[in-house]
Amino acid sequence: MQPQQHQSIQSARVDKYRYPRLAKLLHWLSALTVFCLFGVGLWMVELDYYSSWYRTAPHYHKSVGLLLALVIVIRFIYVQCVVKAKPVQTHAKWQQKSAKAAHLLMYALMMVLFMSGYLISTADGRAIDVFNWFSLPSLGEVISQQEDVAGLIHEYTAYALIALVVIHAIAAIKHHVIDKDDTLKRMY
């Protein structure tokens, strides 16, 4: 076997354990956006009526949230359709299953966040303007006290998502620092 063929076989073997560039980009874009939306959400609920950000901050929060929803749907479809990176071989089966369950739960929590945010914002019958580029129409009030109920769901789901993301990050760092495997490197 020639050295060049040997190198390409090794590259192919390594590549099936790494994520494609688009997957990495969507992962980090989603992670950064989730943390920013969480921080802005915490700040936003403390604004009073006289703050200059009282109307502006929710507009940006909703717009970015809806664009993130689109990115997450695209990301989910992409992950399901594209050949996925194989699990690190040193991971136990329970770790592989736990990681898969955590990822699915993160997707589910984000979908609940998007839906509850939509229900909060459209309870009064008004559409959501996304950066004034387009409007997402309202379904109106679907349930009694929709804004309050959806608001509580949105808040607690956001806390749950951030907790799960922190656990996800700690697990990745643990694999990198303690186990010294390629788990974290696969996303760079």
Side-chain angles (χ1 to χ4, degrees), residues 3-170:
Q4 189 176 19
Q5 286 177 324
H6 180 66
Q7 185 178 6
S8 66
I9 290 171
Q10 280 184 324
S11 296
R13 186 171 48 233
V14 170
D15 287 346
K16 69 182 175 183
Y17 293 100
R18 297 198 183 276
Y19 289 96
R21 283 188 183 141
L22 181 59
K24 294 176 190 178
L25 175 68
L26 293 174
H27 173 270
W28 291 110
L29 176 66
S30 300
L32 177 63
T33 306
V34 163
F35 275 109
C36 289
L37 285 172
F38 182 74
V40 168
L42 289 176
W43 168 71
M44 213 170 51
V45 296
E46 299 299 322
L47 295 174
D48 65 11
Y49 183 78
Y50 300 103
S51 170
S52 61
W53 284 99
Y54 184 77
R55 291 200 192 325
T56 308
H59 170 74
Y60 288 122
H61 185 80
K62 293 173 202 176
S63 295
V64 171
L66 286 170
L67 292 178
L68 178 61
L70 179 63
V71 168
I72 293 300
V73 168
I74 291 168
R75 180 178 171 202
F76 185 78
I77 292 168
Y78 177 74
V79 165
Q80 299 308 310
C81 295
V82 172
V83 176
K84 298 173 206 138
K86 294 186 180 215
V88 176
Q89 292 177 337
T90 58
H91 292 178
K93 289 289 182 201
W94 71 266
Q95 289 175 316
Q96 294 175 21
K97 288 180 181 180
S98 296
K100 186 173 183 114
H103 284 103
L104 289 174
L105 184 55
M106 281 188 270
Y107 279 115
L109 290 171
M110 284 186 280
M111 287 316 205
V112 170
L113 276 170
F114 301 140
M115 292 306 298
S116 60
Y118 171 80
L119 292 173
I120 295 166
S121 302
T122 60
D124 62 1
R126 287 185 286 171
I128 302 173
D129 289 324
V130 180
F131 289 119
N132 299 320
W133 298 337
F134 63 93
S135 294
L136 188 63
S138 170
L139 295 176
E141 190 173 48
V142 179
I143 61 170
S144 177
Q145 299 179 333
Q146 177 172 309
E147 192 171 7
D148 294 332
V149 172
L152 285 173
I153 292 169
H154 196 74
E155 178 183 3
Y156 290 118
T157 303
Y159 285 121
L161 177 63
I162 290 300
L164 187 55
V165 167
V166 167
I167 291 167
H168 175 71
I170 289 169

